[in-house]
Amino acid sequence: MSVMSVRIRTRADGTAYTQVRFRISGVESSVSFDDHGEALAFDKLITKVGVVKALEITRIVVAQEQGTTVGQWLTHYIDHLTGVGAESITNYRRYVKKDFGSLVDMPLVALTPDDVAAWQQGLKNLDGGAPSGKTVANKRGFLAGALAGAVQRGHLKFNPCDNIRLPRWDRAEMVFLEPDEYQLLRSEIPVYWRALTDFLVMSGCRWGEASALRPQNVDRKAGTVRISQAWKKADGGGYVLGVPKTKKSVRTINLPGWVVDQLDFSGEFLFTNSGRGRHHAGGVVRNASFAPNVWHPAIDRAQAKGLTKQPRVHDLRHTCASWLINEGRPITAVQEMLGHESIKTTVDLYHHANRASGKENADVLGGLINPLQ
């Protein structure tokens, strides 16, 4: 008997589909139908003429070479990725397990652009809170990369992700603090934590880089810090120390002398918990705890005294870049300090940080005509 089963399944977006499972060339495979009647008709056709002829009649293509499904290919692709961090691998495996729904059971060579578009739309319409456009783009980007690999290896003739538009999303606006605004905010940060926030704004480090630093990473005489590790999410939960985000994120940063002078070199890590609340003294500092317990209350107090902005902790990195750019530092120097892999990233992120040229534009235009004079 070639037909194994006819099953009604549910996608991540709550819609139902019918899956007809069978064996072809001794390997289990399946075809999915949105219309239950079409699935039953296909089941009946297989019973009548056999799997191969039924697929030929209905013009359904099944990956007969090892019966490869989309899920099997994605797993194979992940297993053979190189140059990718453990956190990314963990995310990719979670995508395959939780986010691709019926696509994972579909024969690889039967996957069409319509299937990808329907899956993408299904993510957008998830009940209980749809993922952000950026999240959808990340998942679709992984799928597109994996399918491009299938094309390169001759498993597919074209990439089903090509020419499918991604949803637009509103990127969270970067907040650039002026020096006096940072001073106001700093005055409301508990004294114990000021060394950390000063370090972040004066080094431009990412949180995962700063919280992974050990005393030996600082050359106190030279006034430099070596960034060579960062905390990464571990497979199965928790964090592990790994390499920073990009090759150029491994870097040496010069610090103002007063920043180095206020660092505490007595612990295992340069920045540790204070021991208040439920976190033991000397433990690794996590932003998930620092932000709600230290950062947000300090912002509230600063806003009560006149601060009008709502910066995130990561905006200290953006603020560092904006200060350097406004002081005329070369964009390449900013790139090196922040550890961006490409100068294009630095330019794209911070081209609007310096408003001097914009003001000059306004002055030129305002000098041509002023109806109010």
Side-chain angles (χ1 to χ4, degrees):
M1 187 70 176
S2 57
V3 177
M4 297 180 64
S5 64
V6 177
R7 305 175 184 177
I8 297 177
R9 295 185 174 275
T10 304
R11 298 186 178 92
D13 63 358
T15 60
Y17 67 98
T18 303
Q19 184 183 77
V20 180
R21 303 187 68 85
F22 50 83
R23 282 188 174 275
I24 182 170
S25 301
V27 178
E28 183 178 338
S29 190
S30 67
V31 175
S32 299
F33 297 85
D34 289 330
D35 187 294
H36 184 67
E38 291 182 1
L40 294 178
F42 182 64
D43 178 14
K44 185 177 180 180
L45 183 61
I46 292 178
T47 303
K48 184 176 181 179
V49 302
V51 173
V52 175
K53 191 64 177 177
L55 293 170
E56 180 182 337
I57 292 171
T58 54
R59 296 185 179 182
I60 296 174
V61 182
V62 176
Q64 297 188 36
E65 181 186 346
Q66 300 181 345
T68 305
T69 65
V70 173
Q72 289 169 340
W73 171 254
L74 294 179
T75 299
H76 174 86
Y77 175 77
I78 295 169
D79 289 342
H80 293 82
L81 275 176
T82 58
V84 179
E87 184 175 359
S88 295
I89 294 294
T90 298
N91 289 337
Y92 296 159
R93 294 196 190 283
R94 185 172 64 249
Y95 294 168
V96 175
K97 184 177 181 180
K98 296 183 177 180
D99 298 312
F100 286 104
S102 61
L103 291 188
V104 298
D105 295 319
M106 186 176 295
L108 177 62
V109 297
L111 186 66
T112 69
D114 286 345
D115 295 322
V116 175
W119 163 76
Q120 185 172 294
Q121 191 67 20
L123 283 180
K124 180 181 176 183
N125 295 329
L126 277 175
D127 292 332
S132 69
K134 184 177 186 300
T135 299
V136 173
N138 287 342
K139 294 174 182 177
R140 219 294 296 280
F142 161 70
L143 179 63
L147 296 180
V151 173
Q152 291 173 353
R153 290 163 178 79
H155 301 306
L156 290 175
K157 293 183 178 180
F158 68 95
N159 191 330
C161 287
D162 288 348
N163 302 317
I164 296 178
R165 297 180 63 181
L166 283 167
R168 297 185 62 181
W169 75 88
D170 295 326
R171 185 188 296 273
E173 284 286 339
M174 291 182 287
V175 176
F176 302 130
L177 294 173
E178 297 296 333
D180 61 328
E181 292 173 324
Y182 175 72
Q183 292 277 40
L184 172 59
L185 176 56
R186 183 184 188 276
S187 68
E188 299 303 324
I189 292 173
V191 173
Y192 180 86
W193 295 109
R194 290 178 187 173
L196 172 57
T197 57
D198 287 342
F199 180 88
L200 290 171
V201 80
M202 287 293 168
S203 69
C205 278
R206 302 174 179 93
W207 178 274
E209 296 170 344
S211 58
L213 288 171
R214 302 177 188 271
Q216 56 265 35
N217 296 128
V218 180
D219 185 330
R220 301 169 72 175
K221 184 177 181 180
T224 61
V225 60
R226 181 66 176 172
I227 309 298
S228 59
Q229 287 188 312
W231 289 107
K232 305 284 186 178
K233 289 183 179 178
D235 193 358
Y239 293 85
V240 294
L241 280 172
V243 295
K245 189 173 183 180
T246 68
K247 288 183 179 179
K248 290 191 177 179
S249 294
V250 178
R251 62 203 189 277
T252 298
I253 298 172
N254 286 77
L255 297 169
W258 64 269
V259 174
V260 176
D261 290 343
Q262 64 179 344
L263 296 177
D264 183 355
F265 296 91
S266 63
E268 179 183 1
F269 292 96
L270 206 58
F271 304 107
T272 59
N273 284 312
S274 64
R276 296 182 179 180
R278 61 186 181 89
H279 300 287
H280 67 279
V284 175
V285 183
R286 302 295 185 202
N287 192 36
S289 174
F290 175 82
N293 295 317
V294 179
W295 184 254
H296 295 158
I299 290 176
D300 291 340
R301 292 190 294 269
Q303 288 177 335
K305 294 184 178 181
L307 181 68
T308 59
K309 297 176 181 177
Q310 186 79 28
R312 302 156 299 177
V313 176
H314 193 68
D315 285 316
L316 293 178
R317 175 172 164 86
H318 298 321
T319 293
C320 174
S322 71
W323 288 356
L324 292 171
I325 291 170
N326 279 304
E327 290 300 314
R329 295 295 298 150
I331 196 70
T332 52
V334 179
Q335 175 201 0
E336 291 172 3
M337 186 164 183
L338 297 185
H340 288 153
E341 192 68 16
S342 168
I343 189 69
K344 184 178 183 300
T345 301
T346 316
V347 173
D348 288 348
L349 284 174
Y350 303 117
H351 69 277
H352 62 297
N354 189 329
R355 298 309 308 158
S357 60
K359 184 177 184 305
E360 291 170 1
N361 290 342
D363 291 342
V364 169
L365 294 172
L368 298 176
I369 180 174
N370 187 346
L372 301 181
Q373 287 184 344

